Amino acid sequence: MPGDPTAPDMNTQPRPVYVIGAGPGGLAAAAALRARGVRAVVVEKSDAVAASWRQHYDRLHLHTTRRLSALPGLAMPRRFGRWVSRDNVVRYLEKYAEFHELELVTGVEVTRIEPAPEGEEGWILHASGGRELAAAAVVVATGYNHTPALPDWPGRDAYEGRLLHAREYRNPQPYAGQDVLVVGVGNTGAEIAVDLVEGGAARVRLAVRTAPHIMRRATAGWPAQRSGILARRLPAPVVDRLAVLIAGVSVPDLSAYGLPRPDTGLYRRVKQGSIPVQDVGLVDAVRGGKVEPVAAVEAFDGAEVVLADGSRIAPDTVIAATGYRRALEGLVGHLGVLDEGGLPRAQGARTPEQARGLYFTGFSNPISGMFREMAMDAEKIAKVVARRAAKGTR
């Protein structure tokens, strides 16, 4: 991603493009902007890049391949292997910011974005410490997994066992010998359940509300991510039919173990925000009786957990892998740019009609790979911003 030798000196640009968030989406956007001669300043509320990645559980690896997960301008090292670990993702993002000489401000939280005063173009960012930052344009990259979402189950606050969100889980060591219930069978819940089994938990149950689509991370060397990339070019009904055929060949039927095949199409689920579970040991653990699927959680009652089928269990610990909220309402909710679910109405290079120069990246979870999509978004955003800057607008 070479820079443009004819681009203006970035130090002469009084109002930079502010990028909010120093995760992969924000860093990629800043690097792509810099390569096109646009000054970009990354503002991060924590004290380092990759804050969310540093908080993930220890065994996490990307479910997308190293080659298809690199950000613009810097490949991931071959020594990281095909499936990159959490620690190596953090190393890569640290190196990425250094390699591209990104202008990074840490320890500052942007709390609200307002249009510039009437008669002026751009934006005003209200930040911690009473700061007001004048921006030519803004890229919001605060992350898909921003704020843990814990359902308001009846009796939750009086539960006598230990209840924690998956964000607080690191490794199985504290749960050795325990009876643990994992709530939620997305990728996080499935992987934590397997981790607990391998780490010596006495019993592991997995509460399932909706049966998931399960896919092998790779079949005969072909990564599921490449199938996801191809699927985005096909009609949804075709993808759904192909997914049934592929699952029938590569993933055994787990109905007898309490985990039936889903009754809705894979791509239909994806459109609703639910991506398939990449199998990293769940299938074998369920077939071996080491992870026991049970009904969804309905309520808590003293030391017991009440399940949707009326049964009651009394685990030592409940780990809620129940997802995250994007938490954009305080930042941009007043601008009319969010949909009913709190997601940006426009993402990538598209910018809302009533909010020109306000961009969003990293707020979807595509089957083609989040890192890959953020890399593509970064290039598209930079191209649009540079073109508009050349015309005197952002």
Side-chain angles (χ1 to χ4, degrees), residues 83-212:
W83 313 105
V84 183
S85 70
R86 179 205 64 182
D87 289 348
N88 280 335
V89 169
V90 172
R91 292 187 183 98
Y92 172 71
L93 295 178
E94 289 175 336
K95 180 63 178 179
Y96 192 84
E98 176 186 346
F99 178 82
H100 287 294
E101 300 180 336
L102 300 183
E103 196 171 343
L104 179 65
V105 178
T106 60
V108 174
E109 180 178 8
V110 178
T111 55
R112 189 175 177 87
I113 300 173
E114 298 277 6
E118 188 173 352
E120 299 181 21
E121 290 190 358
W123 299 88
I124 299 297
L125 280 59
H126 299 272
S128 53
R131 298 174 178 86
E132 290 191 359
L133 310 174
V138 181
V139 180
V140 179
T142 49
Y144 188 81
N145 295 336
H146 187 276
T147 301
L150 194 64
D152 189 20
W153 289 299
R156 184 192 74 183
D157 293 341
Y159 177 54
E160 295 172 10
R162 184 184 180 193
L163 171 63
L164 64 147
H165 190 272
R167 169 65 70 85
E168 302 173 66
Y169 178 87
R170 290 293 175 271
N171 58 63
Q173 183 176 352
Y175 313 98
Q178 287 194 12
D179 181 339
V180 184
L181 172 67
V182 180
V183 184
V185 68
N187 279 296
T188 297
E191 192 157 357
I192 287 176
V194 172
D195 201 32
L196 288 164
V197 166
E198 295 177 355
R203 186 176 190 181
V204 179
R205 284 174 281 201
L206 184 60
V208 180
R209 183 171 299 278
T210 304

Side-chain angles (χ1 to χ4, degrees), residues 30 34 47 54 69 77 79 106 112 175-176 189 194 220 235 243 245 285 289 386 388:
R34 181 178 176 84
D47 60 359
R54 296 174 193 275
S69 301
R79 67 178 183 277
T106 60
R112 189 175 177 87
Y175 313 98
V194 172
L245 294 174
R388 292 175 63 86

Side-chain angles (χ1 to χ4, degrees), residues 195-319:
D195 201 32
L196 288 164
V197 166
E198 295 177 355
R203 186 176 190 181
V204 179
R205 284 174 281 201
L206 184 60
V208 180
R209 183 171 299 278
T210 304
H213 285 274
I214 301 176
M215 299 180 65
R216 298 292 189 188
R217 190 164 60 177
T219 303
W222 178 265
Q225 181 187 9
R226 288 199 178 276
S227 297
I229 293 170
L230 295 174
R232 300 195 74 177
R233 301 175 180 270
L234 298 173
V238 173
V239 176
D240 288 344
R241 287 194 293 271
L242 288 173
V244 171
L245 294 174
I246 293 171
V249 172
S250 61
V251 179
D253 187 355
L254 301 176
S255 299
Y257 304 93
L259 198 59
R261 293 194 187 277
D263 55 9
T264 54
L266 182 149
Y267 209 57
R268 178 180 171 186
R269 289 275 189 88
V270 170
K271 292 293 187 182
Q272 296 170 348
S274 176
I275 64 171
V277 171
Q278 302 284 314
D279 179 37
V280 290
L282 179 66
V283 170
D284 289 343
V286 170
R287 295 178 77 187
K290 297 176 181 179
V291 170
E292 307 168 49
V294 297
V297 171
E298 288 294 310
F300 291 83
D301 185 10
E304 294 184 322
V305 180
V306 183
L307 303 181
D309 61 3
S311 61
R312 291 170 174 256
I313 60 176
D316 299 306
T317 300
V318 177
I319 300 174

